[in-house]
């Protein structure tokens, strides 16, 4: 049995079988006494440790959304840009034409997943989304390279293109529109999205796949009291 791939070369079914598990997670462990009472502070600690251990792009995260009423889930990699003092996480993107925008129109819940292989750690967050104002988004937008700001205006994200040239023509059109303009305004369809956590899960790999997992949960985003529980691996 074979499977077709993009370059039309067949792939044998046996080529897709994973090798037996041999590598064990042995670097760290996680105990209840090690946890900060605040999940935001715990995340900040782990994030700093990921940076100190030279994890590649520790801010990269899988952002998952689901559309209603179908319940169909979609995921993509984005970059975390902020962890605010309330423990909310902020990402930036196109919210006009993208698939995630259409998902959030029907369903305000979303999740983030961070995986730091070098530390054998994973963090999952589930929460409610809330858009930043255009004024708030402008602050971050001003820090982006000019080409990225042009691209935000030019690309109708996720919509079909006839070819690459069509996109490049759109970029050229926007470059001409903002020629000589230093402060390019943030597009009304582009900006920040805040994920306000209802649940955090901290995963530390252990030997024999008996991992350490702890969850922080609360009833609502207005609740400042977190319930911490150890979970079975």
């Amino acid at each position: 049995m074979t499977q077709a791939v993009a370059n039309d070369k067949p792939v044998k079914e046996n080529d897709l079988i994973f090798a037996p598990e041999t590598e064990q997670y042995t670097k760290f462990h996680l105990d209840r006494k090690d946890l900060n009472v605040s999940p935001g502070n715990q995340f900040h600690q782990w994030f700093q440790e990921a940076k100190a251990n030279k994890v590649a792009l520790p801010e990269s995260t899988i952002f998952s959304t689901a559309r209603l009423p179908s319940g169909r889930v979609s995921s993509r990699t984005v970059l975390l840009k902020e962890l605010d003092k309330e423990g909310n996480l902020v990402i930036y993107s196109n919210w006009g034409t993208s698939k995630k925008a259409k998902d959030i129109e029907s369903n305000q819940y979303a999740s983030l997943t961070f995986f730091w292989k070098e530390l054998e750690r994973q963090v999952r967050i589930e929460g409610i989304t809330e858009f930043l104002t255009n004024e708030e988004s402008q602050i971050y937008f001003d820090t982006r390279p000019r080409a990225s700001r042009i691209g935000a205006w030019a690309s109708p994200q996720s919509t079909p293109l006839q070819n690459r040239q069509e996109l490049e023509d759109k970029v050229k059109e926007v470059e001409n529109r903002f020629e000589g303009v230093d402060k390019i305004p943030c597009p009304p369809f582009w900006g920040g999205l805040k994920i306000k956590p209802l649940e955090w899960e901290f995963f530390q790999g252990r030997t024999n796949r008996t991992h350490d997992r702890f969850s922080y949960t609360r009833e609502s985003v207005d609740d400042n009291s977190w319930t911490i529980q150890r979970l079975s691996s």
Side-chain angles (χ1 to χ4, degrees), residues 8 10 23 47 87 90 98 102 112 132 136 142 145 155 163 186 189 198 213 228:
D8 294 329
E23 184 178 348
F47 186 81
V90 180
S98 65
K102 298 185 186 306
L112 296 169
L132 271 59
E136 291 171 322
D142 289 341
S155 177
N163 49 48
C186 180
F189 53 81
L198 291 169
R213 293 173 59 201
I228 304 176

Side-chain angles (χ1 to χ4, degrees), residues 38-41 83-89 125 195-197 200 218 226:
S38 161
N41 289 344
L83 174 71
D84 69 19
K85 61 183 179 181
E86 283 81 33
N88 303 315
L89 303 97
I125 302 103
I195 296 89
K196 306 175 82 169
W200 295 75
R218 60 180 177 176
W226 292 93

Side-chain angles (χ1 to χ4, degrees), residues 21-74:
E21 290 187 4
T22 55
E23 184 178 348
Q24 292 291 329
Y25 297 96
T26 59
K27 292 184 177 180
F28 304 102
H29 65 272
L30 185 63
D31 294 324
R32 174 64 180 83
K33 62 181 174 58
D34 300 325
L35 295 172
N36 196 293
V37 294
S38 161
N41 289 344
Q42 180 64 38
F43 177 82
H44 183 267
Q45 176 188 326
W46 271 22
F47 186 81
Q48 295 303 315
E49 290 174 8
K51 288 170 59 177
N53 282 273
K54 303 189 185 308
V55 171
L57 283 178
E59 67 272 29
S60 64
T61 178
I62 303 298
F63 177 53
S64 298
T65 53
R67 192 172 310 183
L68 298 177
S70 70
R72 181 168 170 170
V73 179
S74 63

Side-chain angles (χ1 to χ4, degrees), residues 87-228:
N88 303 315
L89 303 97
V90 180
I91 63 172
Y92 289 84
S93 189
N94 178 305
W95 305 106
T97 55
S98 65
K99 181 177 286 189
K100 54 186 172 295
K102 298 185 186 306
D103 291 351
I104 289 173
E105 281 179 10
S106 67
N107 179 15
Q108 65 180 333
Y109 293 95
S111 72
L112 296 169
T113 303
F114 295 82
F115 178 58
W116 299 318
K117 180 178 183 294
E118 293 85 346
L119 299 179
E120 300 170 350
R121 289 174 177 172
Q122 175 181 271
V123 182
R124 293 194 315 104
I125 302 103
E126 298 177 14
I128 297 175
T129 57
E130 179 183 294
F131 287 104
L132 271 59
T133 66
N134 187 258
E135 292 73 22
E136 291 171 322
S137 296
Q138 183 73 55
I139 296 171
Y140 169 69
F141 192 72
D142 289 341
T143 69
R144 305 184 87 209
R146 183 179 180 85
S148 296
R149 287 177 282 159
I150 293 292
W153 274 102
S155 177
Q157 193 176 91
S158 301
T159 59
L161 293 168
Q162 294 297 318
N163 49 48
R164 173 74 188 187
Q165 188 61 48
E166 184 180 349
L167 179 59
E168 292 179 354
D169 288 344
K170 291 178 185 293
V171 170
K172 187 64 176 176
E173 177 187 325
V174 176
E175 286 175 340
N176 292 336
R177 190 196 321 170
F178 291 116
E179 186 175 2
V181 177
D182 231 8
K183 188 177 177 66
I184 299 173
C186 180
F189 53 81
W190 191 98
L193 183 77
K194 184 181 296 186
I195 296 89
K196 306 175 82 169
L198 291 169
E199 179 176 352
W200 295 75
E201 183 188 301
F202 294 86
F203 166 102
Q204 176 64 67
R206 295 291 299 272
T207 57
N208 301 320
R209 301 304 188 267
T210 53
H211 310 299
D212 290 325
R213 293 173 59 201
F214 285 91
S215 70
Y216 294 70
T217 57
R218 60 180 177 176
E219 291 300 317
S220 76
V221 295
D222 298 318
D223 184 1
N224 293 320
S225 175
W226 292 93
T227 298
I228 304 176

